[in-house]
Amino acid sequence: MQNSIDLGLIGNGAIGALIDEQAEIVWCCMPRLDADPVFCSLLKEHTDQDGYGYCTVELVEQISIEQQYLPNTAVLVTRMTDAGGGVIEIIDFAPRFRQFGRMFTPVMLIRQIRRLQGSPRIRLVVRPAGDYGRERCPITYGSHHIRYTSPTWTLRLTTDASITMLLEELPFFLDDNVTLIFGADETIPSSIGDLARRFQDETVAYWHEWVRDLGIPFEWQDEVIRAAITLKLNTYDDTGAIIAAMTTSIPEAANTVRNWDYRFCWLRDSYFVVNALNRLGATKTMERYLAYLANISASAPGGRLQPVYAIDGKARLEEQLVTTLPGYRGMGPVRRGNQAFEQIQHDVYGSAILAVTHIFFDRRLLRCGDTALFQRLEPLGETALQVYDQPDAGLWELRGSARVHTFSSVMCWAACDRLALIANQLNLQDRATYWRTKADQMYTVIYSRAWNEEKQAFTASFEGDSMDASLLLLHDVGFLSAEDPCFASTVTAIEKELKRGDYVYRYVEADDFGKPENAFIVCTFWYIHALAALGRMDEARSLFENLLKKRNRLGLLAEHIDPRTGEQWGNFVQTYSMVGLINSAIRLSKRWDSAF
């Protein structure tokens, strides 16, 4: 069977796993989101004889299968039926609930297999991999556990299934229920089945309570709830970081080397993520993420930020090629780390400060911004002031060229603009005047150098003539009002040059790897936002409904989409795309008080 990203995501804020429609765990990094993948068959083809890096449940003579989430949870249920009428149910989840006054998020996956009817016969295949698929893990075992040892971590499977049947991968009749608990090399001192059932009940209750506290729109509620849960699963609880995606090296299009490791935290995402969390009312998640951003921003050497950081805040993400994995559908190379950390990307100053601005104005947060934090942010503003008219790699991280990107310049302006607002909020009038003066000066330069009179539009770079989808955000970040004719005409120019059918490309000119083949999903969401701002609501709603239909069968989105086939490409599940869905739904939905 050909690999696909028609997958389900489970997790708990410490780890995450991707599960395909046959209930195979195809991707899972342990002991944290950016670690060595113990299950990695998503990036390699396996055969029954010699494959490893996956975990599956096979129903003998299976004839049908269906899969869905338990409503408003991150608990995935797969139901299989065999030719004789036997039915089994597989429940997959990672425990997450409050215990002993704190959130319990162990490095643990639980897989429960239940007989629902008939005499089903199953085979359990558990084959973890070590060192990025280099080897099948050596095994030791006891009466109720199997220990898989990799060079970096030891995975322990605790189970009430027959150890012999597991080790020899023999079929057996499922008389009742079987539980598999994957986690750290620690003994589980209680009944395995009872523990799994209790953890499931507690986890379901946690997710129901979490969803109940969300502020959601009247329309598209199920879609927004699934996107919000997914955003939560892409959060690394220990530090508050939110990764761009669970995976590495899923290519942006077929047979291209555009494939990167996305298991890190990009500052470019922060503004959009914080806005989505704020609109949802997910204040605890937002507060943890803001603390992560504030720590990075305050400790930036010389006020210099890089585009991307590890989930623990570390700066160096040396990119290496992984030769032991052939890649998604054999489309390598596979990478670990991301050399984008070395790039010069000036929009990060605006992204960071726009996000952190919430700390100074949102009264729901436990710790509000103060003068000390403002003073730690000012060096970032000074850097933005120095670099706003200098060449960089831009939002899309071009690796082989640099120019003065309009969006980067606008985000530098936004950094200074927000510092003026923060200073005013803190009654620091001298600093407010200083930053307002600087922002106004920058605004004048950007407006004159980025505007193309012939095109009647702002262009991708100063004195340039090409278009970039990031210009759709000029209204969002406050650079242009929706009533400004320059905004409407810029949107028109983007429609003319970047829109292909129902999708908007980030750009269409050739870059370091040729011309982009597929559409970057979030750009279409940005276009929807621009249409809504311009009052073109019918068009916006139609495009939004179309994008919703392109989600996979479990409601999830990757990074790119092929406009011709509708197939999704790129790393999965993509934070940017799910945030775009949330923000669009909130903008377009009928109001609760006018819906009836």
Side-chain angles (χ1 to χ4, degrees), residues 140-358:
T140 58
Y141 61 92
S143 57
H144 290 288
H145 76 270
I146 303 174
R147 183 184 293 110
Y148 305 90
T149 304
S150 78
T152 57
W153 204 62
T154 297
L155 174 69
R156 185 184 183 105
L157 166 58
T158 305
T159 182
D160 50 12
S162 164
I163 295 298
T164 299
M165 295 299 182
L166 269 165
L167 291 175
E168 299 188 21
E169 300 178 356
L170 298 173
F172 62 92
F173 285 103
L174 182 65
D175 296 323
D176 191 8
N177 301 331
V178 166
T179 299
L180 309 178
I181 301 178
F182 299 93
D185 190 16
E186 300 170 348
T187 301
I188 294 177
S190 57
S191 165
I192 297 166
D194 290 346
L195 180 78
R197 284 187 289 272
R198 180 172 72 83
F199 278 13
Q200 181 190 337
D201 290 344
E202 296 275 12
T203 299
V204 168
Y206 163 80
W207 284 113
H208 285 171
E209 190 66 28
W210 188 79
V211 168
R212 191 177 295 120
D213 289 339
L214 293 177
I216 60 174
F218 177 78
E219 297 179 272
W220 308 296
Q221 293 183 35
D222 290 336
E223 294 85 347
V224 170
I225 288 170
R226 181 54 49 201
I229 290 174
T230 304
L231 184 55
K232 184 70 172 172
L233 296 182
N234 277 6
T235 302
Y236 184 57
D237 261 15
D238 188 57
T239 63
I242 299 179
I243 59 174
M246 281 283 165
T247 59
T248 177
S249 305
I250 309 297
E252 297 177 7
N255 301 307
T256 174
V257 295
R258 296 176 187 267
N259 54 359
W260 320 110
D261 191 345
Y262 271 20
R263 298 170 297 163
F264 307 113
C265 184
W266 266 261
L267 295 189
R268 72 181 183 195
D269 300 356
S270 58
Y271 165 66
F272 307 101
V273 170
V274 169
N275 274 352
L277 291 171
N278 196 332
R279 288 168 173 152
L280 289 168
T283 52
K284 290 182 181 178
T285 305
M286 181 177 76
E287 195 162 23
R288 291 287 292 151
Y289 186 43
L290 286 171
Y292 170 86
L293 294 173
N295 286 333
I296 285 177
S297 301
S299 59
R304 295 275 174 170
L305 290 171
Q306 61 189 50
V308 57
Y309 292 84
I311 58 176
D312 57 11
K314 289 182 180 176
R316 298 199 64 81
L317 308 173
E318 298 289 351
E319 188 171 289
Q320 302 171 352
L321 296 185
V322 177
T323 58
T324 51
L325 291 171
Y328 181 74
R329 301 183 185 174
M331 300 173 190
V334 172
R335 308 173 197 265
R336 58 181 297 192
N338 198 306
Q339 217 61 34
F341 82 91
E342 289 185 329
Q343 290 187 339
I344 305 300
Q345 192 175 328
H346 297 153
D347 63 285
V348 295
Y349 301 102
S351 297
I353 291 178
L354 260 65
V356 175
T357 296
H358 287 261

Side-chain angles (χ1 to χ4, degrees), residues 387-404:
V387 303
Y388 84 98
D389 59 353
Q390 299 300 306
D392 74 341
L395 175 70
W396 308 119
E397 298 173 352
L398 301 177
R399 293 194 171 198
S401 62
R403 54 186 176 180
V404 183

Side-chain angles (χ1 to χ4, degrees), residues 447-459 461 463-465 467 486 489-490 493:
Y447 209 108
S448 63
R449 296 189 61 187
W451 176 256
N452 184 305
E453 188 65 28
E454 182 179 344
K455 282 184 175 286
Q456 285 294 293
F458 287 94
T459 52
S461 60
E463 288 86 37
D465 60 5
M467 302 306 297
C486 294
S489 60
T490 298

Side-chain angles (χ1 to χ4, degrees), residues 309-499:
Y309 292 84
I311 58 176
D312 57 11
K314 289 182 180 176
R316 298 199 64 81
L317 308 173
E318 298 289 351
E319 188 171 289
Q320 302 171 352
L321 296 185
V322 177
T323 58
T324 51
L325 291 171
Y328 181 74
R329 301 183 185 174
M331 300 173 190
V334 172
R335 308 173 197 265
R336 58 181 297 192
N338 198 306
Q339 217 61 34
F341 82 91
E342 289 185 329
Q343 290 187 339
I344 305 300
Q345 192 175 328
H346 297 153
D347 63 285
V348 295
Y349 301 102
S351 297
I353 291 178
L354 260 65
V356 175
T357 296
H358 287 261
I359 296 177
F360 295 90
F361 290 90
D362 195 328
R363 307 306 298 176
R364 296 171 297 175
L365 304 183
L366 293 178
R367 182 179 178 273
C368 294
D370 54 18
T371 301
L373 177 58
F374 170 73
Q375 290 172 342
R376 290 198 294 271
L377 294 177
E378 284 196 287
L380 302 183
E382 292 292 353
T383 303
L385 182 59
Q386 295 168 16
V387 303
Y388 84 98
D389 59 353
Q390 299 300 306
D392 74 341
L395 175 70
W396 308 119
E397 298 173 352
L398 301 177
R399 293 194 171 198
S401 62
R403 54 186 176 180
V404 183
H405 289 91
T406 299
F407 183 74
S408 295
S409 300
V410 168
M411 291 299 277
C412 286
W413 164 84
C416 297
D417 175 79
R418 296 327 190 261
L419 285 174
L421 296 176
I422 294 169
N424 190 63
Q425 174 76 359
L426 296 173
N427 293 316
L428 303 173
Q429 293 307 317
D430 287 348
R431 302 311 297 161
T433 299
Y434 172 82
W435 286 114
R436 177 54 56 211
T437 300
K438 297 301 182 183
D440 289 347
Q441 292 170 352
M442 296 164 71
Y443 187 93
T444 301
V445 173
I446 296 168
Y447 209 108
S448 63
R449 296 189 61 187
W451 176 256
N452 184 305
E453 188 65 28
E454 182 179 344
K455 282 184 175 286
Q456 285 294 293
F458 287 94
T459 52
S461 60
F462 282 12
E463 288 86 37
D465 60 5
S466 61
M467 302 306 297
D468 183 329
S470 63
L471 300 170
L472 292 165
L473 297 169
L474 294 179
H475 166 64
D476 249 33
V477 301
F479 188 80
L480 296 178
S481 71
E483 293 73 31
D484 191 326
C486 294
F487 178 61
S489 60
T490 298
V491 173
T492 298
I494 288 173
E495 289 170 335
K496 184 183 300 182
E497 297 193 20
L498 303 185
K499 190 166 179 280

